[in-house]
């Protein structure tokens, strides 16, 4: 059984720009309407939005606040580090829209005097005889400061909130400048407010600094008085302790505590005389111990060596002894003399013999001196042990004295440290009081106005060009979004590529949407049912794209395999009204025009329709006799030859000059179309098709006709078609483009798979005539050769003349 794998979701394949472009061309009217609507919205916005003017001032933030005191105090350094950071600029930027600052601006500029009417959009005019309100560039008097600092009225607070929405500070990137923008309907008011906001922020900063200086000075004065009393008490306690315990100065006590300058006097920061003596004795005892250990180690080596002079000379104490050093020098000098004489004299020469005798005596003297050194070292070791013992005893006595004095000096040292701390704090507070008192009245700040606000002459908003462009782009974006959303929600198949990719089956033909052809009015064939003519487009409109699509279908199906295996064709669909009857009828006409003997069977026993497409085949039943069809054959009431109705050649031939259709059933090419209609109403169609009669019908029709075309019922509606599939050779599935849901198509293919049948391909029916039609038909050139004799009326005449 063939296995039909579920189709891959199209959304996983990424964005298909080509498909989206042609979707836009299909719904271009939506995009145009949305764009026009966006344009009208922009025009309405421009008409209703009041004009706003924007004034612009520039503020500069220095790295540090100006000061009259030189020096690197910790607080000043921290303040400078903060001002140099980006956080300081952002803090100032946020404070420029502070509601309290805005209320101060309203009060300073007198904007609440008239209830805020001039501020809220009315033109600000000055009486020619009335002087303008002063614009102070420096801090006002203390009375003005008190007036500004009192609680704000509700009107001032409300106007301040409104003003904060008009102010926009922006930090200029890479600089220490802040652009201050103020927007207002009145250009003069915008300029006035831009200047006032910057000026009032500087005033508020200076006032805050002055308040902080006053508060700091008050606090420092209180601290100075308290620290002065503490220092007096500490110094009095130190003096009293010194009078009661004079020996405490021997081990410690700072110079400041005694009233002396740092570094003066006999008492140092390292301790008193007792402590120094203790350190000296300890150092000497350590050195004596090291000498003793060294001598003991060397004597042990000497005892192991014995009388080996060369080994004894390797010991440092023996090698460095004065006697050994002198003897070694003598030996070295005599060896040098012997070497010199050996260059001039023979070994038996008296001088050589004398020199060698002297050298031998010197070496003996060196050996005696080396051998005498162990006894000397033992004497030195005894002396080192005695010195170590004496120094240890003296150090212990000195340590006892130091401990006794240290107990007495603990209290003194604590009092001295406290006095030093109190003096340092007191001096620091005195210095800060002097600096604060000197700078409390300095009216400076790190922020200054770098560029004053000019009077704006053109409105900043709304900007007509920008508004129109945004309206057009917004409308276009809305239209494109609607197109994209509609396309995403559309679950039908609209293109050949889309169908083949989703179903995994080839598209055998793409039949375009059509209407009743204009050429039917001139047709020589008289058909009582005009709607039936529109079904037979292969015969009635041979030059049209629909007829060409069915000729393509005829060629595609003929190439699927050997002719013996492609004689019985079944056309079905997933749902009703997808065009399977239309497709089977036109395909049968195309086969008959090619010269085949074709039997067209109406296999839809529940809603037969082929008798309406070919009404002239049943002209002999005009008296009201019942029409026999496939149902009558299946129940065994009548034979195949009696139920088959031949179709007149005039209904099969290409439109042009034809006969009258009476008695002529063979076309000019030798083809013939016969029809097996539905017949009477079937009470049990599924049971009829499941019997052996339908198989016998197909087998007999295959013997009598070249091709058998079966129009069947929809797969998802009834089970009739599945009962037919074992008896047919080729199954084609008709899908209505842009209509049939994908899940319905896949369900239909799955049902065919359960019946061990697989469609040979898909017929994409009723493709819409829209913009970008080439995207749907793929390079189709409809009407190619029209007017050049292709499928014209002379075709039947030429064939008739030849025959």
């Amino acid at each position: 059984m063939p296995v039909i794998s579920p189709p891959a979701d199209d959304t996983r394949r990424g964005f298909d720009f080509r498909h989206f472009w042609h979707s836009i061309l299909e719904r271009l009217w939506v995009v145009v309407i949305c764009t026009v609507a966006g344009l009208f919205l922009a025009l309405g916005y421009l008409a209703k939005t009041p004009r706003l003017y924007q004034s612009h001032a520039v503020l500069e933030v220095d790295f540090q606040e100006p000061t009259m005191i030189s020096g690197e105090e910790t607080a000043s350094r921290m303040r400078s580090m903060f001002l140099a950071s980006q956080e300081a600029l952002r803090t100032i930027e946020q404070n420029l829209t502070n509601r309290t600052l805005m209320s101060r601006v309203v009060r300073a500029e007198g904007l609440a005097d008239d209830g805020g009417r001039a501020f809220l959009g009315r033109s600000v005019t000055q009486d020619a005889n009335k002087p303008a309100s002063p614009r102070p560039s420096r801090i006002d008097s203390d009375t003005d400061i008190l007036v500004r600092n009192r609680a704000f009225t509700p009107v001032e607070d409300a106007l301040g909130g409104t003003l904060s929405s008009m102010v926009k500070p922006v930090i200029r990137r890479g600089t220490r400048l802040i652009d201050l923008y103020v927007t207002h309907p009145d250009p003069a008011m915008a300029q006035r407010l831009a200047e006032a906001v910057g000026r009032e922020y500087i005033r508020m900063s200076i006032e805050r600094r002055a308040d902080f200086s006053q508060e700091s000075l008050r606090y420092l004065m209180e601290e100075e008085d308290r620290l002065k009393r503490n220092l007096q008490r500490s110094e009095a306690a130190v003096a009293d302790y010194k009078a009661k315990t004079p020996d405490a100065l021997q081990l410690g006590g700072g110079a400041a505590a005694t009233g002396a300058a740092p570094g003066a006097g006999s008492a140092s920061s390292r301790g008193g005389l007792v402590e120094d003596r203790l350190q000296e004795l300890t150092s000497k005892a350590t050195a004596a111990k090291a000498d003793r250990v060294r001598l003991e180690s060397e004597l042990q080596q000497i005892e192991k060596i014995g009388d080996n002079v060369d080994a004894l000379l390797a010991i440092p104490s023996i090698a460095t002894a004065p006697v050994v050093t002198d003897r070694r020098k003598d030996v070295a000098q005599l060896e040098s003399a012997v070497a010199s004489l050996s260059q001039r004299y023979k070994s038996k020469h008296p001088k050589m013999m004398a020199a060698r005798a002297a050298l031998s005596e010197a070496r003996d003297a060196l050996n005696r001196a080396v051998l005498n050194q162990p006894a000397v070292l033992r004497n030195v070791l005894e002396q080192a042990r005695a010195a170590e013992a004496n120094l240890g005893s003296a150090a212990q006595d000195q340590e006892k004295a130091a401990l006794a004095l240290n107990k007495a000096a603990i209290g003194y040292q604590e009092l001295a440290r406290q006095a030093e701390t109190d003096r340092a704090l007191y001096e620091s507070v005195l210095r800060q009081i002097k600096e604060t008192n000197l700078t409390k009245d300095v009216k400076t700040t790190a922020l200054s106005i770098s560029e004053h606000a000019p009077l704006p002459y053109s409105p900043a908003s709304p900007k007509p060009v920008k508004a129109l462009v945004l309206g057009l782009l917004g409308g276009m974006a809305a239209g494109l979004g609607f197109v994209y959303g509609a396309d995403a929600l559309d679950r039908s198949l609209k293109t050949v590529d889309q169908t083949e990719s989703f179903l995994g089956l080839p598209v055998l033909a793409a039949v375009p949407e059509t209407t009743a052809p204009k050429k039917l009015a001139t047709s020589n064939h008289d058909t009582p049912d005009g709607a039936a003519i529109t079904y037979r487009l292969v015969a009635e409109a041979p030059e049209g794209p629909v007829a060409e699509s069915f000729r393509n279908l005829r060629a595609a199906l003929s190439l699927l395999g050997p002719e013996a295996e492609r004689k019985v064709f079944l056309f079905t669909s997933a749902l009703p009204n997808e065009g399977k009857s239309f497709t089977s009828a036109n395909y049968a006409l195309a086969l008959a025009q090619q010269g085949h003997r074709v039997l067209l069977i109406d296999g839809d026993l529940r809603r037969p329709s082929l008798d309406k497409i070919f009404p002239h085949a049943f002209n002999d039943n005009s008296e009201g006799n019942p029409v026999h069809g496939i149902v009558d054959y299946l129940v065994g009431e009548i034979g195949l030859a009696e139920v088959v109705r031949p179709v007149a050649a005039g209904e099969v031939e290409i439109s042009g000059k034809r006969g009258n259709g009476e008695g002529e059933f063979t076309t000019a090419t030798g083809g013939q179309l016969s029809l097996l209609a539905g017949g009477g109403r079937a009470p049990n169609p599924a049971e009829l098709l499941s019997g052996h009669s339908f198989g016998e019908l197909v087998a007999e029709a295959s013997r009598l006709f070249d091709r058998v075309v079966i129009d069947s019922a929809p797969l998802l509606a009834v089970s009739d078609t599945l009962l037919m599939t074992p008896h047919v050779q080729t199954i084609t599935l008709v899908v209505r483009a842009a209509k049939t849901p994908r899940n319905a198509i896949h369900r239909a293919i799955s049902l065919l798979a359960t019946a061990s049948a697989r469609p040979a391909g898909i017929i994409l029916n009723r493709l819409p005539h829209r913009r970008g039609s080439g995207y749907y038909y793929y390079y189709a050139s409809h009407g190619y050769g029209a007017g050049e004799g292709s499928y014209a009326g002379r075709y039947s005449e030429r064939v008739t003349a030849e025959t």
Side-chain angles (χ1 to χ4, degrees):
M1 178 184 298
V3 178
I4 305 296
S5 60
D9 191 356
D10 292 27
T11 58
R12 297 180 183 175
R13 300 192 308 166
F15 181 74
D16 189 351
F17 179 78
R18 186 168 180 267
H19 174 74
F20 182 61
W21 168 250
H22 287 280
S23 298
I24 294 173
L25 294 180
E26 286 183 45
R27 300 181 177 90
L28 188 60
W29 60 275
V30 175
V31 179
V32 172
I33 290 176
C34 291
T35 304
V36 173
L39 178 61
F40 278 103
L41 288 176
L43 293 175
Y45 168 77
L46 292 175
K48 293 184 179 180
T49 304
R51 294 184 177 182
L52 298 177
Y53 294 85
Q54 189 177 74
S55 187
H56 169 218
V58 181
L59 307 180
E60 182 178 0
V61 182
D62 294 332
F63 284 98
Q64 61 182 5
E65 293 180 342
T67 180
M68 300 176 61
I69 304 298
S70 61
E72 293 295 333
E73 294 296 334
T74 303
S76 299
R77 288 199 304 270
M78 294 180 63
R79 177 66 176 169
S80 299
M81 290 173 60
F82 175 71
L83 289 174
S85 65
Q86 194 69 18
E87 286 76 9
L89 294 178
R90 285 195 287 268
T91 302
I92 296 174
E93 179 188 24
Q94 295 298 321
N95 284 333
L96 284 172
T97 56
N98 185 280
R99 194 181 184 97
T100 302
L101 174 63
M102 300 297 104
S103 300
R104 285 172 59 98
V105 172
V106 170
R107 175 174 292 180
E109 295 296 315
L111 300 178
D113 296 344
D114 58 351
R117 288 189 296 273
F119 170 71
L120 295 176
R122 297 183 181 180
S123 178
V124 179
T125 58
Q126 289 280 359
D127 190 352
N129 298 323
K130 182 180 179 180
S133 59
R135 308 292 173 82
S137 58
R138 56 181 179 82
I139 296 299
D140 297 334
S141 62
D142 294 339
T143 303
D144 295 333
I145 294 176
L146 292 175
V147 170
R148 281 197 298 272
N149 288 338
R150 70 169 183 262
F152 299 111
T153 63
V155 175
E156 291 173 342
D157 188 67
L159 293 178
T162 304
L163 178 58
S164 63
S165 63
M166 300 179 180
V167 178
K168 181 183 178 182
V170 178
I171 300 174
R172 192 177 297 181
R173 182 176 296 180
T175 66
R176 301 191 60 77
L177 301 177
I178 300 178
D179 295 305
L180 182 63
Y181 298 96
V182 178
T183 305
H184 196 272
D186 183 16
M189 180 62 75
Q191 180 193 25
R192 175 182 173 186
L193 292 176
E195 289 284 338
V197 170
R199 183 171 58 248
E200 198 61 30
Y201 183 81
I202 295 175
R203 285 177 176 172
M204 187 173 69
S205 300
I206 294 175
E207 290 174 11
R208 287 179 178 176
R209 181 176 179 181
D211 294 342
F212 177 76
S213 298
Q214 291 290 348
E215 186 66 22
S216 300
L217 185 61
R218 183 189 62 79
Y219 172 76
L220 291 174
M221 294 297 293
E222 294 176 356
E223 282 295 300
E224 186 268 340
D225 184 61
R226 183 181 66 83
L227 291 175
K228 184 177 182 180
R229 293 194 300 269
N230 291 343
L231 178 60
Q232 290 174 351
R233 287 195 297 268
S234 299
E235 290 181 343
V238 170
D240 184 61
Y241 195 88
K242 286 167 60 178
K244 294 180 180 179
T245 314
D247 294 337
L249 289 176
Q250 296 184 17
L251 276 178
T258 62
S266 60
S268 64
S269 61
R270 294 179 299 171
L273 297 176
V274 176
E275 186 178 6
D276 295 342
R277 178 61 178 169
L278 176 60
Q279 292 179 355
E280 181 182 359
L281 291 175
T282 302
S283 300
K284 290 181 178 180
T286 303
K289 182 178 180 180
D291 291 340
R292 176 188 51 86
V293 172
R294 179 179 58 81
L295 291 173
E296 288 177 348
S297 176
E298 290 179 350
L299 285 174
Q300 290 177 359
Q301 293 179 7
I302 291 171
E303 291 176 357
K304 293 179 181 180
I305 292 171
D307 295 337
N308 189 345
V309 177
D310 293 335
L312 292 175
L313 287 173
I315 296 174
S317 296
I318 296 177
T320 58
V323 177
V324 175
T325 303
D326 293 340
R327 300 289 81 81
R328 293 180 73 178
K329 288 180 179 180
D330 294 341
V331 171
Q333 290 176 358
L334 290 173
E335 287 178 349
S336 176
V338 170
S340 178
L341 291 175
S342 65
Q343 299 294 329
R344 294 182 292 175
Y345 303 106
K346 299 291 183 180
S347 59
K348 299 295 184 177
H349 195 275
K351 290 185 177 182
M352 281 292 296
M353 295 176 66
R356 287 175 178 172
L359 176 59
S360 177
E361 184 179 354
R363 287 175 177 172
D364 293 338
L366 174 61
N367 293 337
R368 289 192 299 272
V370 170
L371 294 174
N372 292 331
Q373 286 302 311
V376 176
L377 290 179
R378 290 186 184 93
N379 295 332
V380 174
L381 176 59
E382 294 298 331
Q383 295 175 3
R385 288 173 178 172
E388 179 183 1
N390 294 334
L391 289 173
S393 177
Q396 290 178 357
D397 294 341
Q398 192 69 21
E399 184 176 359
K400 292 179 181 178
L403 290 175
L405 291 175
N406 190 36
K407 292 179 181 179
I410 291 175
Y412 171 78
Q413 291 175 353
E414 291 179 355
L415 293 174
R417 283 195 298 270
Q418 183 63 39
E420 291 176 0
T421 302
D422 291 341
R423 180 176 295 277
L425 290 174
Y426 179 70
E427 291 176 352
S428 175
V429 169
L430 285 180
R431 184 170 59 255
Q432 293 183 28
I433 289 174
K434 293 178 182 179
E435 293 177 356
T436 304
N437 192 34
L438 185 62
T439 60
K440 66 178 181 178
D441 296 328
V442 176
K443 298 179 174 59
T444 58
T445 182
L447 189 69
S448 61
I449 299 178
S450 176
E451 180 180 337
H452 292 276
L455 180 66
Y457 293 99
S458 59
S461 83
K463 296 181 179 180
V465 176
K466 182 179 179 180
L468 293 175
V469 171
L470 289 179
L472 290 173
L473 293 178
M476 187 180 298
L480 294 177
F482 176 82
V483 171
Y484 182 79
D487 188 68
L489 295 175
D490 187 0
R491 305 305 299 165
S492 62
L493 299 174
K494 297 189 289 185
T495 68
V496 174
D497 263 356
Q498 201 176 38
T499 305
E500 292 181 343
S501 174
F502 179 78
L503 300 178
L505 294 172
V507 175
L508 301 174
V511 182
E513 183 72 75
T514 184
T515 56
K518 298 179 180 179
K519 203 170 182 179
L520 293 180
T522 62
S523 175
N524 296 331
H525 188 76
D526 184 17
T527 304
D529 189 357
I533 301 177
T534 61
Y535 270 74
R536 303 191 299 270
L537 294 178
V538 173
E540 301 296 336
E543 294 185 4
V546 176
E548 193 62 41
S549 298
F550 282 105
R551 284 189 284 270
N552 291 337
L553 175 62
R554 179 182 65 190
L557 290 176
S558 66
L559 297 175
L560 290 179
E563 184 176 354
E565 298 178 2
R566 299 296 176 185
K567 295 188 64 176
V568 183
F569 301 90
L570 183 140
F571 289 85
T572 186
S573 63
L575 300 173
N577 300 322
E578 295 196 49
K580 54 182 179 53
S581 299
F582 166 76
T583 304
S584 58
N586 281 275
Y587 177 65
L589 287 170
L591 290 175
Q593 290 175 359
Q594 198 177 22
H596 296 288
R597 291 178 295 117
V598 183
L599 175 62
L600 178 59
I601 301 176
D602 194 344
D604 190 352
L605 305 185
R606 303 174 190 255
R607 293 177 58 184
S609 59
L610 292 181
D611 55 338
K612 300 176 183 178
I613 299 177
F614 299 95
H616 291 288
F618 304 94
N619 287 338
D620 55 350
N621 291 315
S622 57
E623 297 179 0
N625 297 325
V627 177
H628 297 292
I630 186 174
V631 175
D632 303 286
Y633 177 87
L634 293 178
V635 297
E637 295 180 355
I638 195 169
L640 180 62
E642 299 176 6
V643 296
V644 171
R645 298 288 181 138
V647 178
E651 296 187 18
V652 179
E653 283 282 16
I654 297 172
S655 297
K657 183 178 180 181
R658 302 180 183 142
N660 55 13
E662 297 179 359
E664 295 182 8
F665 301 105
T666 303
T667 63
T669 58
Q672 182 180 354
L673 176 62
S674 300
L675 177 65
L676 178 57
R681 182 177 181 83
N684 53 348
E687 287 72 11
L688 290 176
L689 294 173
S690 62
H692 60 86
S693 299
F694 182 77
E696 295 174 355
L697 169 64
V698 174
E700 185 177 358
S702 300
R703 291 193 302 269
L704 298 177
F705 296 91
D706 299 331
R707 299 287 188 272
V708 179
V709 180
I710 304 174
D711 177 28
S712 64
L715 285 166
L716 301 185
V718 293
S719 61
D720 299 359
T721 303
L722 296 177
L723 300 174
M724 298 181 184
T725 55
H727 308 289
V728 301
Q729 295 174 324
T730 303
I731 302 174
T732 56
L733 186 66
V734 180
V735 175
R736 183 173 176 178
K739 182 71 175 180
T740 309
R742 302 183 187 186
N743 54 347
I745 303 171
H746 184 256
R747 175 62 179 165
I749 297 176
S750 299
L751 289 176
L752 289 175
T754 59
S756 300
R758 178 179 177 86
I762 304 296
I763 299 174
L764 200 58
N765 189 33
R766 301 185 68 176
L767 279 170
H769 280 292
R770 299 171 181 169
R771 289 180 177 269
S773 59
Y775 177 58
Y776 294 94
Y777 303 118
Y778 288 90
Y779 311 108
S781 299
H782 304 312
Y784 177 75
E788 301 294 334
S790 300
Y791 296 101
R794 296 186 296 274
Y795 174 76
S796 58
E797 299 177 1
R798 183 168 62 250
V799 174
T800 303
E802 292 176 355
T803 55

